[in-house]
Amino acid sequence: TRSLAIFVILLFPCIATNVRPRHAKVFKARRRKLAQFFLAAPGLIALDRCAKAAEEPPNPSTQTPKLGLSPNGKLRACTTPNCYSTNAKSPQSYIAAWRAKSIDAKETSAEIIKKMYELETSAKLVDQQTVKDGEYIRFEIAGTSGPDDVEFLVKNEGVPERGFDGDLPGNLVLFRSLERSPVYVYPFQTPVGDLKRQKKRLQNLRESIGARVVGCELVECFDVRLTGSNY
């Protein structure tokens, strides 16, 4: 666009010199307006693009994460920023599962519900069902950019015996905590962090129900990838 503008502006004086004197002023005025238009055109195009971009979602390629169990009865992996799960595919989003104090899945899930209400005043239990492998529960909790979703799958089975003193009875607790609508910094599409809100919530709940991190039954772990407690 700018190259075309320069070409027209340079060509127009040549045309204007070959016209009659009485028309010279008219051509000069038209040349001035034409130059102003072509010089302003790139800015107008840029403004139009910015306006269209502002109307679009910050990250159109990112879809709302799917909630609930997958068709094979497992918790889903993390597909968005600010998400932590026992089924995460990346080390940055992974937190190890818990071993509950109880061996009854319904009792463990009831304890999780009770403590979640105590720790999170905005918590709403939106899904609770008995599934093939145990008990599934999901909460909605008020976040900074919309609701956070916290899912638990309390399995009927415990952790398999591994042949050392740390093996204790108790339900295996799997979970996923995520920000449903992450905020992105325009135009770089960089996600805004949640100040480790998801990790802190899970850590507080685990301590509240007295569960232990699987693999750390004798001495509690202090690895952020396993417990989320190393802030």
Side-chain angles (χ1 to χ4, degrees):
T1 303
R2 188 174 294 276
S3 299
L4 178 62
I6 294 173
F7 173 77
V8 173
I9 293 170
L10 293 176
L11 179 64
F12 212 79
C14 299
I15 299 175
T17 55
N18 295 324
V19 299
R20 295 179 180 179
R22 65 174 178 272
H23 297 306
K25 292 183 179 180
V26 176
F27 272 90
K28 287 182 180 179
R30 290 179 179 178
R31 184 183 66 180
R32 188 181 303 110
K33 290 182 179 180
L34 190 63
Q36 292 173 349
F37 170 77
F38 278 103
L39 291 174
L44 294 174
I45 293 173
L47 289 174
D48 180 64
R49 288 177 178 175
C50 290
K52 289 180 179 179
E55 295 175 357
E56 297 175 352
N59 191 348
S61 63
T62 302
Q63 300 178 352
T64 301
K66 293 182 179 180
L67 302 172
L69 299 177
S70 65
N72 60 2
K74 296 182 179 180
L75 288 176
R76 301 177 188 273
C78 291
T79 57
T80 58
N82 303 327
C83 172
Y84 298 91
S85 172
T86 53
N87 196 32
K89 296 181 180 180
S90 67
Q92 294 79 10
S93 299
Y94 172 74
I95 296 181
W98 306 338
R99 181 199 297 272
K101 296 172 66 176
S102 174
I103 59 173
D104 185 297
K106 289 186 178 296
E107 182 179 334
T108 299
S109 62
E111 183 69 7
I112 290 175
I113 294 172
K114 175 185 176 183
K115 295 300 182 181
M116 183 66 83
Y117 282 139
E118 293 178 0
L119 295 171
E120 300 284 350
T121 57
S122 65
K124 295 180 181 179
L125 182 63
V126 295
D127 195 357
Q128 180 180 15
Q129 54 183 298
T130 299
V131 295
K132 178 181 178 181
D133 293 333
E135 298 292 320
Y136 170 79
I137 50 181
R138 178 169 70 88
F139 295 91
E140 281 186 3
I141 302 174
T144 56
S145 61
D148 290 349
D149 295 287
V150 188
E151 302 175 290
F152 295 92
L153 177 59
V154 182
K155 305 198 75 173
N156 293 319
E157 65 185 45
V159 181
E161 292 293 328
R162 293 162 294 177
F164 68 96
D165 293 339
D167 288 332
L168 300 170
N171 299 119
L172 180 64
V173 181
L174 308 176
F175 50 83
R176 183 175 73 152
S177 182
L178 66 147
E179 190 175 36
R180 188 184 301 178
S181 303
V183 176
Y184 294 84
V185 177
Y186 181 83
F188 306 106
Q189 306 302 335
T190 302
V192 177
D194 67 345
L195 301 177
K196 301 182 180 178
R197 183 175 66 252
Q198 313 297 329
K199 284 186 177 181
K200 292 177 181 178
R201 176 186 297 131
L202 292 170
Q203 172 70 9
N204 292 337
L205 180 65
R206 183 183 67 80
E207 293 176 351
S208 182
I209 66 174
R212 302 289 286 181
V213 176
V214 173
C216 306
E217 288 83 354
L218 295 180
V219 179
E220 193 62 88
C221 295
F222 293 95
D223 189 325
V224 65
R225 293 172 300 173
L226 297 179
T227 67
S229 61
N230 186 15
Y231 303 128

